[in-house]
Amino acid sequence: MPTHPPLYVDVVFPTSVDTPLTYRVPEELRELVVPGKRALVPLGTRTVSGYLVGTRDRSPVPQTKDLREILDAEPLLDAHLLELTRWVAEYYLCAWGEVIRTALPPGIDTLTRQVVRVTAAGTAVMDGGGLLRAGERELLAYLRVRGEAPLSALTRRWRRARPMAHALTRRGLVEISGEVRPPRIRPLTIPQYLLAPGVDAETAPLSPRATRQRAILRALASRSAGLPRGEAAVGPPAALAALVRQGLVQVKEVEITRDPFAMPEPCGSLESPPQLTPAQAEAVVLVQGALQDRRFLPILLHGVTGSGKTEVYLQAIQHALAQGRQALVLVPEITLTPLTVRRFLARFGGRVAVLHSGLRGGERYDAWRRIRRGEADIVVGARSAVFAPLPRLGIVVVDEEHDPSYKQEEAPRYHGRDVAIMRAKLLTAPVILGSATPSLESYERAQAGRYRLMQLPQRIEARPLPRTEIVDLRRVDGGERLLTPPLCAALEACLARGEQALLFLNRRGFSTVLVCQECGAGAGCPHCSVSLTFHAGRGRLRCHTCDFERRPPERCPQCHGNRLRYLGFGTQQLEAAVRERFPKARVARMDRDTAQHWQAAARILESLERGAIDILVGTQMIGKGHDVPNVTLVGVVSADMALHLPDFRAGERTFALLTQVVGRAGRGDRPGLAIIQTFNPDHYILRAVQAQAYAALWDAESPLRRELGLPPFGRTVLAVVSSPAAPDAQAGALEMARLLRAEGMGSSSLSGPAPAPLYRVRGRYRWHLLVREKETAQLHARIRRAARRLQASAVGRRVRLDLDVDPASLC
Ligand code: ADP
Ligand code: ZN
């Protein structure tokens, strides 16, 4: 690093250009140049903003353009985050600037602006008739009337405003400063349903057949504040709509707090930590040692749900804070894990900053600045929080480290857990990976001694794990396969005891396929190779891949026959079946359709907690980290779909998912029961779930993975070549295969090209190439070279190439 002001800088860009470019720094900007700031630079014919990533004394190229302007007073990223983002770019084969953009709060470019003001000297020169060019005088006059103006407004008015303003700054006649634009935040309202004034739920004039409407009135009668739609509507939404039409029910827009985790100032009544169990204490002592020695120490904390992992995080963090260091906690999906977040708030109060998807641009930016100023000691957030700018970070926690949502499915395709581990490594700090069902990757590393394995063998207070029964669907009549007799009996008993139940089904919608019984044709998405799902609420067919929607056809589009039949079932149908079978139960559904926004998810979970829901039907959303002691029954309605996904991780995923769902039962002092319905009752995965035997999963999965060189025994990189034209996609994939082979990849390490299992998505045809290697040295550089050569070729220009390092899914 040069000690005198740098002559040249390297700049990377949020998009398009994927290599750093070198610019000369004009004299007057030299003192301001610091890596981590943003700058305006010429690129082609435009002026764009980029990130300064390095300085140099000499340019590597003979011709350089001049940097135009420095946009920030303080660097947005410190040296550590620059190094981390650079590692992410190199490892995940993406552009450094793209990673930096991801690391910064979204919209930061629109949230800061540059403001120009006239100085006293400027006023004096104008009044004294000092030497000014015509344009400059005009600009100063404009500013003087207004006092100040954003630079962007000036450049809209005068094409040369920017260089003029800079020339004037150098003469001290104006000053330019960066300012935060006040975020525009609109209050958030949701419709709330309540009884119209004077309406009595029992005597309101309804036809005797309108039992559903009567039930709604009764439900609303006990709630003077009203109910949100999801809870007010019993049965089809038409009943509620009819009541509104008749004037018996009113709809009121109610403003809700936008941040459920916004904390009042620390109030002194923070919860005190419990005495640790010996197993917990051992883990905490281990972390404490690493904190003291400032040592990189990855720890895999393996313990069933309820075994006290969260308590280990809390106390380990306590030790870090006592040393004046800070903590980063990653959780899979904040809105579905309100309980974990609340535990952090209860213990540490206002020292916690929660980064969650419900924050709007301005709020997110505020939280980010608060963290960067060092005003929050603990950051809890999902994947992207791994880049939170904590200046004194000393410990990293990744809860549910196996969760697939840590992998970003768009560029930059980084894995939040793995970036967290690298961050801890760069900082030489401990990192705790916690899970009841560790990923095979982490487990293998623990076996190999690269991570320390800590086990929490049983639930706190030796609360029993739920008993799991498997129901063989082959022995159940077709009509009873949704709610089998054993599941119905268990539900009835559960309701009779006044306890609550969860019913899990991993498919949304009402029916999953529409087929013609004359010719067998199915209704598929016109843009994707998937069939459309029927959604009863809107009466429409919908693509779950691209969200395409259409009205169901009256006749078969192929043969024009009229015997169309709906097959397969989703959560909507399950909900309807439950309501029909248990008409008195209070039933709710949680999936992407009813809980698209985080507020809705939080509200449903809150209703479950306060006992307002007897049976909650839902997708994997219901399986995450909530803990309702009164939930004693969990039903897995169909375990088969997940088992048969065309993906080498299908078994591992199903094991984790079902273990998590099943673990929701019996978290209180009453024992829980889980019922799994399946056509494959002897499947080893289901047996492993039933026995709560992680070792059985490992024993069954690892030999095959080892033989095939798949993770955790080898690295994979998936190359997806796609195009709207099928022949182009294929030609591009063949060319990419040739280029990879030219880089020395033999048949043992290269599979494909082959059409992707999901062949068409959003109108693009997709081909897969899977690279597998035991050794990673050089692998990424070779793939990068092949990718560059493809992009430069004639066929390469007609296709898109997406590289996915350590892909989470091979569909
Ligand atoms: P996990 O994160 O593994 O699901 P938690 O840390 O949430 O487990 O612990 C489960 C329950 O046991 C929580 O209610 C927690 O407050 C309680 N708990 C954890 N550790 C202890 C302890 N050492 N003594 C008493 N209660 C504990
Ligand atoms: Zn589609």
Side-chain angles (χ1 to χ4, degrees):
M1 194 63 130
T3 50
H4 56 86
L7 303 179
Y8 295 93
V9 282
D10 285 342
V11 177
V12 296
F13 300 92
T15 45
S16 62
V17 194
D18 74 342
T19 44
L21 297 182
T22 302
Y23 289 89
R24 199 185 76 90
V25 186
E27 186 72 48
E28 67 276 10
L29 294 180
R30 288 201 183 143
E31 299 291 340
L32 301 176
V33 162
V34 182
K37 288 186 180 183
R38 288 170 305 162
L40 280 180
V41 296
L43 184 69
T45 55
R46 296 174 307 149
T47 301
V48 300
S49 90
Y51 309 109
L52 301 182
V53 293
T55 57
R56 2 169 131 244
D57 287 337
R58 221 169 264 120
S59 170
V61 288
Q63 294 267 307
T64 52
K65 292 183 180 167
D66 273 11
L67 191 89
R68 292 269 162 79
E69 203 172 317
I70 300 289
L71 292 174
D72 300 298
E74 296 293 324
L76 300 179
L77 300 126
D78 60 14
H80 159 67
L81 281 173
L82 277 172
E83 196 180 353
L84 184 71
T85 50
R86 178 187 169 140
W87 175 81
V88 170
E90 256 165 34
Y91 183 82
Y92 291 101
L93 299 170
C94 51
W96 192 358
E98 195 170 51
V99 182
I100 293 179
R101 192 197 48 187
T102 304
L104 295 174
I108 189 165
D109 291 314
T110 57
L111 287 167
T112 50
R113 61 177 184 183
Q114 290 191 293
V115 175
V116 187
R117 270 183 219 91
V118 192
T119 61
T123 312
V125 168
M126 283 185 79
D127 292 343
L131 198 59
L132 286 170
R133 296 207 186 96
E136 291 176 342
R137 184 169 290 281
E138 210 181 312
L139 190 141
L140 279 177
Y142 178 87
L143 286 174
R144 195 170 174 189
V145 176
R146 285 164 182 78
E148 61 176 46
L151 189 53
S152 56
L154 298 180
T155 52
R156 272 198 299 276
R157 228 180 142 86
W158 296 282
R159 203 170 49 81
R160 298 203 12 94
R162 203 177 281 282
M164 280 196 303
H166 275 283
L168 292 171
T169 314
R170 282 197 288 280
R171 292 171 59 190
L173 305 185
V174 302
E175 58 186 24
I176 305 180
S177 57
E179 243 180 39
V180 180
R181 187 183 298 202
R184 268 177 303 169
I185 296 178
R186 276 163 288 125
L188 209 60
T189 62
I190 54 156
Q192 198 79 4
Y193 291 77
L194 62 175
L195 280 192
V199 172
D200 183 291
E202 301 304 328
T203 61
L206 289 177
S207 105
R209 286 179 42 238
T211 50
R212 288 216 162 101
Q213 297 186 16
R214 182 74 70 195
I216 293 175
L217 292 184
R218 287 190 185 126
L220 293 179
S222 57
R223 306 224 117 231
S224 55
L227 283 173
R229 182 196 181 104
E231 286 175 47
V234 185
L240 183 60
L243 288 168
V244 174
R245 267 201 312 279
Q246 295 163 59
L248 298 171
V249 168
Q250 282 186 335
V251 192
K252 220 162 78 181
E253 292 289 322
V254 177
E255 192 173 317
I256 56 168
T257 27
R258 36 177 73 255
D259 190 354
F261 305 117
M263 273 290 288
E265 281 308 292
C267 44
S269 65
L270 298 178
E271 154 202 297
S272 53
Q275 185 76 34
L276 294 176
T277 64
Q280 285 175 318
E282 198 185 329
V284 172
V285 165
L286 192 66
V287 177
Q288 215 180 337
L291 279 168
Q292 236 130 43
D293 310 344
R294 304 233 162 165
R295 191 153 49 87
F296 169 55
L297 178 66
I299 299 168
L300 177 60
L301 185 63
H302 180 198
V304 295
T305 47
S307 60
K309 295 185 294 297
T310 309
E311 190 57 45
V312 170
Y313 311 152
L314 292 167
Q315 300 211 17
I317 288 171
Q318 186 72 61
H319 285 294
L321 298 189
Q323 291 187 7
R325 332 230 31 211
Q326 299 171 315
L328 171 64
V329 182
L330 297 186
V331 293
E333 174 57 72
I334 291 264
T335 51
L336 299 178
T337 51
L339 185 85
T340 311
V341 178
R342 268 186 258 144
R343 299 253 320 261
F344 279 88
L345 290 170
R347 189 68 57 85
F348 299 111
R351 303 177 78 176
V352 182
V354 183
L355 291 177
H356 60 90
S357 55
L359 295 179
R360 308 295 179 84
E363 293 169 312
R364 185 164 275 273
Y365 184 43
D366 287 347
W368 181 85
R369 283 190 303 157
R370 190 179 144 222
I371 296 164
R372 192 164 65 107
R373 286 195 302 261
E375 292 169 14
D377 286 324
I378 301 161
V379 171
V380 183
R383 184 177 61 224
S384 64
V386 74
F387 297 110
L390 287 156
R392 299 184 305 280
L393 183 56
I395 182 171
V396 180
V397 171
V398 184
D399 191 25
E400 309 287 359
E401 64 89 23
H402 64 279
D403 198 285
S405 74
Y406 283 124
K407 183 80 202 287
Q408 176 146 302
E409 292 297 351
E410 58 195 56
R413 296 169 189 270
Y414 66 97
H415 197 298
R417 174 198 61 212
D418 296 338
V419 177
I421 295 169
M422 181 46 78
R423 193 164 181 190
K425 191 169 181 176
L426 292 174
L427 292 169
T428 62
V431 49
I432 309 178
L433 312 176
S435 178
T437 53
S439 62
L440 294 190
E441 282 84 345
S442 297
Y443 198 72
E444 191 271 336
R445 282 176 201 154
Q447 298 280 309
R450 292 168 61 195
Y451 297 173
R452 281 293 292 269
L453 180 63
M454 298 301 291
Q455 312 250 18
L456 300 179
Q458 56 177 349
R459 282 187 167 181
I460 294 292
E461 290 163 9
R463 287 170 196 153
L465 283 163
R467 190 163 50 83
T468 305
E469 278 174 19
I470 294 180
V471 175
D472 183 351
L473 287 176
R474 293 170 307 184
R475 301 185 185 185
V476 174
D477 278 353
E480 294 185 328
R481 282 180 183 153
L482 202 51
L483 296 171
T484 61
L487 181 57
C488 284
L491 278 167
E492 232 150 64
C494 175
L495 294 173
R497 292 191 305 266
E499 295 169 359
Q500 295 164 284
L502 302 179
L503 291 183
F504 168 74
L505 178 61
N506 214 6
R507 266 172 294 184
R508 353 182 238 128
F510 194 86
S511 315
T512 43
V513 222
L514 176 61
V515 287
C516 169
Q517 289 187 290
E518 313 261 342
C519 75
C525 174
H527 313 292
C528 310
S529 31
V530 298
S531 55
L532 296 171
T533 298
F534 179 63
H535 282 248
R538 308 146 66 95
R540 298 199 141 221
L541 295 172
R542 183 144 213 226
C543 172
H544 284 185
T545 299
C546 74
D547 291 334
F548 166 84
E549 252 193 22
R550 63 167 291 184
R551 213 173 294 151
E554 313 255 308
R555 294 178 163 272
C556 171
Q558 296 284 319
C559 73
H560 307 288
N562 61 0
R563 291 179 54 214
L564 292 172
R565 199 170 157 209
Y566 290 95
L567 297 175
F569 48 84
T571 45
Q572 284 187 345
Q573 190 165 3
L574 175 62
E575 180 194 7
V578 172
R579 285 185 192 280
E580 191 173 306
R581 184 71 173 66
F582 302 97
K584 295 214 187 84
R586 292 162 301 169
V587 180
R589 172 163 59 92
M590 178 147 113
D591 54 29
R592 249 198 328 120
D593 298 312
T594 65
Q596 200 176 9
H597 298 290
W598 61 275
Q599 290 96 340
R603 221 174 307 123
I604 294 171
L605 287 179
E606 190 265 323
S607 308
L608 183 73
E609 267 172 41
R610 75 177 141 81
I613 296 173
D614 297 315
I615 303 175
L616 179 60
V617 171
T619 54
Q620 68 261 39
M621 281 183 136
I622 67 172
K624 305 266 176 176
H626 57 82
D627 181 0
V628 181
N630 200 38
V631 170
T632 56
L633 175 64
V634 167
V636 175
V637 172
S638 165
D640 299 301
M641 228 218 7
L643 285 173
H644 299 305
L645 284 179
D647 194 300
F648 72 92
R649 286 199 183 86
E652 179 185 351
R653 285 277 156 78
T654 308
F655 177 81
L657 188 59
L658 293 187
T659 302
Q660 204 166 35
V661 173
V662 164
R664 297 296 136 216
R667 305 259 295 179
D669 41 16
R670 273 155 296 179
L673 170 65
I675 293 184
I676 299 178
Q677 305 186 151
T678 175
F679 283 101
N680 300 275
D682 297 316
H683 199 288
Y684 71 96
I685 290 291
L686 300 183
R687 290 294 170 201
V689 171
Q690 184 174 35
Q692 294 276 332
Y694 182 80
L697 172 80
W698 172 260
D699 292 344
E701 292 277 329
S702 56
L704 190 65
R705 299 259 192 114
R706 195 188 297 271
E707 190 186 324
L708 297 177
L710 287 169
F713 304 103
R715 292 262 177 196
T716 53
V717 178
L718 180 67
V720 184
V721 179
S722 67
S723 160
D728 284 347
Q730 183 174 14
L734 286 168
E735 177 63 6
M736 184 65 183
R738 196 185 64 77
L739 292 167
L740 286 170
R741 277 194 295 269
E743 289 287 344
M745 270 161 232
S747 54
S748 63
S749 59
L750 182 63
S751 337
L758 237 153
Y759 180 42
R760 209 166 158 236
V761 171
R762 293 188 168 85
R764 301 184 74 88
Y765 294 88
R766 305 160 72 243
W767 284 72
H768 273 185
L769 291 129
L770 185 68
V771 182
R772 286 168 300 162
E773 282 283 5
K774 292 232 159 39
E775 291 300 316
T776 55
Q778 302 287 316
L779 173 66
H780 290 193
R782 282 149 62 194
I783 294 177
R784 208 185 265 274
R785 272 200 300 276
R788 292 235 167 89
R789 289 177 61 193
L790 178 74
Q791 271 146 6
S793 72
V795 55
R797 278 192 280 275
R798 293 199 297 273
V799 298
R800 188 166 85 205
L801 172 67
D802 291 298
L803 295 173
D804 192 350
V805 177
D806 301 338
S809 138
L810 298 185
C811 296

